[in-house]
Amino acid sequence: MFGESATAAQAGPAFSEPESSAVQRAAVAAGFDAARFRAELRAFCRQQVPADIRARMRQHQYFTRGQRIRWQQLLQSRGWFVGHWPKAHGGQGWGPLQRFIFVEELERAGTPWLTHFGTSFLGPVLCAFGNDAQRARFLGPIRDSTEWWCQGFSEPGSGSDLASLKLRAERSGGHYRVNGQKTWTTMAQWADWIFCLVRTQAGGKPQQGISFLLIDLKSPGVTVRPIETFDGGQHVNEVFFDDVEVPVGQLVGQEGDGWTIAKFIVGRERLLVTEIGKAWHLLGVLQSIAAGRREGPRRVSDSAAFRRRAAELEVQYHCLRATAYAAVLEAEAGREHPVDASLLKIRGSELQQAIHDAITDLLARDGLAFQIEGLGGDLEGYRHGDPRLPGLLHEHLHSRAASIYGGSNEIQRGIIAKTALHV
Amino acid sequence: MDDDALHLFEETLARYNRERYDAGQWSDYGRLPQGHSPERWAELQAMGCFELLRPEDDDRAAPMADLLPLYAAAGEALWREPLATVFAEPIAVIAQLADPARRRALLEGLISGERPLGYAHRETGDGAADAIATTATKSTAASGAGWRLSGDKAMVVGVDVCTGFLVSAIDAERDVPAVFLVDAAAPGLQLQRYRSIDDGIAADLRFDQAPAERLCDGAAAIAAANARGVILAAAEALGIMRGANRDSTDYLRERRQFGQPLLGFQALQHRLVEMLMRQRECEALVASVAEAFDHAAPMLSRQVLVLRVEVARALRHITREAVQLHGGMGVTQALRIGRYYRRALMLDSLHGTADLALEALSEHP
Ligand SMILES: Cc1cc2nc3c(=O)[nH]c(=O)nc-3n(C[C@H](O)[C@H](O)[C@H](O)COP(=O)(O)OP(=O)(O)OC[C@H]3O[C@@H](n4cnc5c(N)ncnc54)[C@H](O)[C@@H]3O)c2cc1C
């Protein structure tokens, strides 16, 4: 049984789902009790999510900037938001396993997506590559969610071929002058800062001239322009830089370290993008829609055709979860299987999309209204169908991007070919 | 239409799409209060498209095969105009009427463009395919004898041009389904408009003792109307497939990454090839089922289900792949690729998902 509603109805078999002994052993070795940690997170998600956020979770609505920040701060009140940072830098020193369990449980409960840009990407980058001044200036506000970060990697001409990026940063005295454009920047409209891959040197191997620069979005010459997406949301943007002055102290590492840092980030991202907890949550949504809908004398959830389709998804889910934990345990032991990272990205996005297809196919029977006014708050006036309709359709459409962003599934397959086939 | 005429018609439509229906115009039309452009709608009429519906001599309906190019053009350019209210289900229902004079009058209302009709059959609720909870009772009240309709119908399209609705309901006198005509301005009819997933406008209808005219018995008329809807939706889907495949091929030819056009990567060529093969298969299938429909071939209902399964799957596959192959651009509103994707969802919603059609096919051997 999947999902919050389904488990509640079933007196929680999923909550008593046994922890594999390999996970238990690895947790003990890492100094925590996996089952107890999960129980603590579940209780927290059941009891501590503020009512306004929970209301939006139920309807799959959009969260405001303020709601996301409040949720992150609540998590940090327990030290969890940056639990994966080293103790020396204000974290709890969690390894990959504890961090994975943490994210899985939050996703299972359907809580707001943690904006990873500061906490998962930049924080660890500063710990590993930054200098003391940078850590002192930037880590605190990330931990406390008082500064919002976004990720400036992609450009109009450089998507899959990231190394061809062109955003120029030319050094003059104590500053870099930055000119050019980033695009697809998630939540730049809410961000205070952006970390960018910039080109500090032309010629040579394209990867060599790339550096990692932190830029205040309030700097003169920065323009953020929203991109309209087909899911009815507003989350990606173009960011333009017109002679923006950036102090050289905001360069992370040395000039030319950008590519190495980018690979470090991508490596961190991979386990998280599996979103296995979200898949579990969505499978619960699917079950609850099927159970609440009749097909003649029977419930849809009792129809053989529906059950078979749900069973197919369940197989995919368990297969992915097993693979994800195998990869996490490898990472916990400091190793990496050449196939894992890309596999998780591919299968994670495929599963999420397949579940959304199944959900939408059920919703389609009542007519696919798309009242996007209902995404960000209460719908005034007439509402067609299930109150979750706008939110679930928005999520369906957005899930199409899961196989595109963060290195497309085609690029991931190329990576597996390169590393595993030695081509 | 003979082949030459058909070819000419296709060229006319292609020119129409170039001049009247680019992405910018599409968005402009959507912002109009009706959700479509009354000018374009009138223009289709002026071009003689509606005349395609005029049957020869004693035929009850003109051949549907002649309409396939029109629907393909609509699919490719994502027309917002409410074609269904004239070309799709109403024609099939009217063909079932026993009274030739009434039949001719209603048909003339469609062809003249003066009386388009909405098709109000789907209901939410228990969700069984074709379950009807709406009822019609005969009133003898002094205030007006005749049929009175009560119930709810969901997601009716084209409501802004309709002068009346074809409503399926249970004839309470005989306890059989029948089709009724309710005037759009009838007392006791309430209409709630909303945006649909394809960025169009749909409405839910509530009938509360609304006066109605009983047109014909239901089962055959509803089956024919649904079949006609499925076949024309398949023709529309062909247009979407054509557009999505062409756009994706053009995009990968233009877009350079890693120092070369993306179309150079064989992995991507094979993806496009699969999309093209599915389009070709659907083209053949649509033509054959449309012909079977025009000739009232035996086993038609199964052929229509087969068509629905295959076209729904192929369309979802192609639109999904088109989004993926466009990368980030595929999920923006700037290109029509994302709109194709959403229209594919809408067609599933209006005509049934592949799952449902496959289940129907497997349950009635
Ligand atoms: C919703 C969303 C959020 C995003 N958020 C961010 C963000 O916050 N920050 C950021 O920097 N970027 C972000 N991105 C950008 C994302 O990383 C890029 O979209 C992605 O890298 C793909 O690049 P592209 O869109 O230019 O597609 P292209 O690179 O043009 O690819 C087009 C198609 O060709 C395929 N392809 C490309 N090369 C090959 C090859 N060699 N072999 C086979 N197939 C190939 C691709 O897989 C794709 O299907 C986001 C994108 C989306 C959609």
Side-chain angles (χ1 to χ4, degrees):
Chain A
M1 262 302 162
F2 299 95
E4 205 179 9
S5 43
T7 32
Q10 299 272 320
F15 283 173
S16 57
E17 178 184 62
E19 202 74 69
S20 86
S21 54
V23 167
Q24 277 173 5
R25 277 198 309 277
V28 169
F32 74 104
D33 178 330
R36 190 177 305 154
F37 184 49
R38 272 191 206 280
E40 201 182 342
L41 290 165
R42 284 169 187 171
F44 186 84
C45 290
R46 259 197 316 274
Q47 295 155 11
Q48 303 293 325
V49 179
D52 60 322
I53 296 181
R54 185 167 293 284
R56 289 200 171 195
M57 282 161 53
R58 271 201 208 99
Q59 295 206 7
H60 293 253
Q61 289 170 323
Y62 240 49
F63 302 104
T64 64
R65 184 182 194 269
Q67 284 173 325
R68 288 169 193 272
I69 288 174
R70 228 178 334 125
W71 173 238
Q72 292 174 182
Q73 288 173 340
L74 213 54
L75 291 171
Q76 188 51 28
S77 70
R78 305 289 284 259
W80 288 338
F81 185 53
V82 298
H84 57 296
W85 288 8
K87 285 193 173 138
H89 299 306
Q92 314 225 26
W94 293 347
L97 176 62
Q98 194 162 4
R99 169 76 166 154
F100 192 85
I101 290 174
F102 169 70
V103 172
E104 183 185 24
E105 290 304 327
L106 293 193
E107 288 172 352
R108 281 182 165 214
T111 59
W113 182 71
L114 303 179
T115 35
H116 290 304
F117 306 114
T119 177
S120 303
F121 301 164
L122 185 61
V125 162
L126 291 178
C127 293
F129 299 89
N131 57 35
D132 285 341
Q134 289 167 341
R135 285 192 280 264
R137 164 66 187 83
F138 294 113
L139 288 182
I142 295 176
R143 183 190 59 217
D144 300 337
S145 299
T146 51
E147 276 176 357
W148 192 299
W149 283 86
C150 61
Q151 174 180 3
F153 282 13
S154 307
E155 298 179 8
S158 307
S160 297
D161 181 11
L162 188 58
S164 68
L165 64 92
K166 292 199 183 65
L167 180 65
R168 261 184 309 122
E170 282 168 317
R171 189 164 173 164
S172 65
H175 287 90
Y176 287 100
R177 281 191 177 285
V178 179
N179 279 288
Q181 185 195 343
K182 291 292 173 187
T183 191
W184 309 121
T185 322
T186 298
M187 293 174 179
Q189 80 274 17
W190 285 345
D192 304 294
W193 285 78
I194 183 169
F195 56 85
C196 281
L197 292 179
V198 297
R199 184 158 300 285
T200 40
Q201 185 196 314
K205 222 177 144 223
Q207 287 83 350
Q208 279 164 2
I210 297 175
S211 304
F212 195 90
L213 204 56
L214 312 177
I215 304 178
D216 185 345
L217 282 171
K218 288 183 290 293
S219 314
V222 177
T223 311
V224 176
R225 197 186 293 160
I227 298 175
E228 245 191 294
T229 47
F230 79 153
D231 55 14
Q234 206 264 283
H235 37 78
V236 288
N237 304 271
E238 296 180 288
V239 183
F240 298 90
F241 302 85
D242 180 16
D243 245 352
V244 177
E245 277 193 6
V246 180
V248 290
Q250 288 166 209
L251 175 77
V252 178
Q254 304 298 313
E255 277 193 15
D257 283 352
W259 195 250
T260 308
I261 297 176
K263 284 205 294 197
F264 173 88
I265 287 182
V266 167
R268 304 237 134 202
E269 193 176 15
R270 285 297 148 68
L271 296 176
L272 296 175
V273 295
T274 314
E275 299 195 302
I276 190 72
K278 186 166 163 188
W280 185 88
H281 180 75
L282 285 173
L283 284 168
V285 172
L286 175 67
Q287 294 289 354
S288 82
I289 293 172
R293 213 173 175 293
R294 301 198 76 80
E295 194 174 73
R298 65 182 177 193
R299 294 189 304 178
V300 173
S301 53
D302 292 331
S303 98
F306 171 77
R307 289 164 75 121
R308 190 187 159 104
R309 185 159 180 189
E312 295 276 5
L313 294 170
E314 190 175 341
V315 171
Q316 270 178 271
Y317 165 79
H318 284 293
C319 183
L320 177 62
R321 186 161 189 265
T323 314
Y325 270 96
V328 171
L329 292 180
E330 287 282 301
E332 186 72 17
R335 294 187 301 264
E336 197 190 330
H337 189 279
V339 173
D340 279 352
S342 295
L343 183 160
L344 294 178
K345 173 79 205 313
I346 293 169
R347 291 289 190 246
S349 56
E350 286 176 348
L351 176 59
Q352 206 176 108
Q353 292 168 346
I355 302 171
H356 272 301
D357 278 342
I359 290 175
T360 302
D361 277 3
L362 284 189
L363 295 171
R365 299 181 186 196
D366 281 339
L368 295 178
F370 195 36
Q371 298 175 276
I372 49 178
E373 321 82 83
L375 268 185
D378 289 336
L379 200 55
E380 277 173 29
Y382 184 77
R383 175 205 295 283
H384 170 93
D386 194 307
R388 292 169 291 185
L389 201 48
L392 285 171
L393 289 175
H394 163 79
E395 286 178 15
H396 171 134
L397 295 171
H398 188 60
S399 80
R400 297 315 317 176
S403 49
I404 295 169
Y405 56 66
S408 73
N409 284 9
E410 289 73 29
I411 292 303
Q412 303 301 338
R413 286 190 161 84
I415 291 172
I416 297 178
K418 208 175 263 167
T419 53
L421 309 180
H422 312 290
V423 290
Chain B
M1 253 188 264
D2 63 22
D3 282 355
D4 285 344
L6 207 66
H7 191 63
L8 205 66
F9 186 38
E10 283 173 338
E11 279 186 356
T12 309
L13 291 166
R15 191 169 57 242
Y16 177 81
N17 276 348
R18 278 195 304 277
E19 289 169 2
R20 299 281 197 253
Y21 241 109
D22 65 26
Q25 291 163 323
W26 186 90
S27 303
D28 293 344
Y29 303 156
R31 277 189 286 272
L32 297 169
Q34 303 86 344
H36 71 269
S37 157
E39 252 176 72
R40 296 287 83 78
W41 188 225
E43 208 165 39
L44 289 175
Q45 163 81 12
M47 280 163 70
C49 293
F50 291 26
E51 282 300 318
L52 293 170
L53 293 171
R54 196 176 291 288
E56 296 211 7
D57 313 329
D58 298 334
D59 289 353
R60 286 193 170 213
M64 187 152 54
D66 289 352
L67 299 178
L68 302 183
L70 182 73
Y71 265 75
E76 184 165 353
L78 289 155
W79 292 0
R80 289 176 174 277
E81 283 57 64
L83 289 185
T85 60
V86 170
F87 293 92
E89 293 88 354
I91 296 285
V93 171
I94 290 169
Q96 301 284 325
L97 265 61
D99 173 6
R102 190 71 184 114
R103 205 163 63 220
R104 268 196 301 276
L106 288 173
L107 188 59
E108 198 49 49
L110 297 183
I111 295 175
S112 66
E114 276 159 24
R115 292 190 54 83
L117 298 170
Y119 179 58
H121 171 53
R122 175 216 293 267
E123 298 183 1
T124 58
D126 93 345
D130 286 334
I132 299 172
T134 302
T135 54
T137 50
K138 225 170 185 169
S139 150
T140 47
S143 55
W147 293 93
R148 292 279 186 280
L149 221 89
S150 291
D152 290 289
K153 295 289 177 179
M155 203 165 222
V156 180
V157 295
V159 288
D160 288 294
V161 298
C162 292
T163 58
F165 296 99
L166 300 170
V167 190
S168 60
I170 300 297
D171 166 345
E173 303 275 299
R174 290 167 45 211
D175 198 26
V176 293
V179 180
F180 294 81
L181 176 62
V182 177
D183 197 85
L189 166 56
Q190 209 189 345
L191 208 137
Q192 299 283 2
R193 296 159 89 253
Y194 49 84
R195 283 274 163 191
S196 45
I197 185 67
D198 59 344
D199 206 10
I201 287 172
D204 292 349
L205 271 46
R206 166 157 290 180
F207 301 92
D208 182 11
Q209 293 292 312
E213 173 192 350
R214 192 183 192 285
L215 290 181
C216 58
D217 282 348
I222 293 165
N226 289 347
R228 192 176 168 96
V230 165
I231 295 168
L232 290 175
E236 180 184 341
L238 285 183
I240 298 178
M241 293 181 196
R242 203 173 294 161
N245 285 343
R246 185 184 305 134
D247 286 3
S248 301
T249 311
D250 288 349
Y251 188 77
L252 293 184
R253 203 189 301 283
E254 286 291 312
R255 172 83 171 159
R256 296 176 71 87
Q257 291 286 275
F258 306 101
Q260 57 168 300
L262 284 173
L263 194 56
F265 291 105
Q266 196 175 39
L268 296 183
Q269 292 170 7
H270 287 188
R271 299 272 286 274
L272 285 170
V273 167
E274 182 65 28
M275 293 155 76
L276 286 172
M277 294 197 313
R278 299 203 77 159
Q279 176 191 328
R280 180 65 194 129
E281 289 164 334
C282 287
E283 279 167 359
L285 199 59
V286 171
S288 88
V289 179
E291 194 193 291
F293 183 91
D294 283 337
H295 295 96
M299 309 280 290
L300 182 65
S301 61
R302 285 188 77 74
Q303 290 196 53
V304 171
L305 287 172
V306 167
L307 178 72
R308 186 66 209 131
V309 173
E310 179 55 25
V311 169
R313 283 187 176 162
L315 186 64
R316 290 287 289 276
H317 172 84
I318 288 172
T319 51
R320 190 186 297 143
E321 289 284 83
V323 168
Q324 180 68 22
L325 294 176
H326 277 76
M329 289 306 294
V331 302
T332 64
Q333 291 284 64
L335 302 181
R336 59 185 184 179
I337 289 301
R339 301 195 176 116
Y340 283 153
Y341 187 92
R342 296 204 285 164
R343 181 64 185 164
L345 293 181
M346 183 67 176
L347 291 178
D348 276 2
S349 184
L350 288 175
H351 302 285
T353 59
D355 260 14
L356 283 180
L358 193 65
E359 216 178 321
L361 204 54
S362 65
E363 278 173 1
H364 310 290

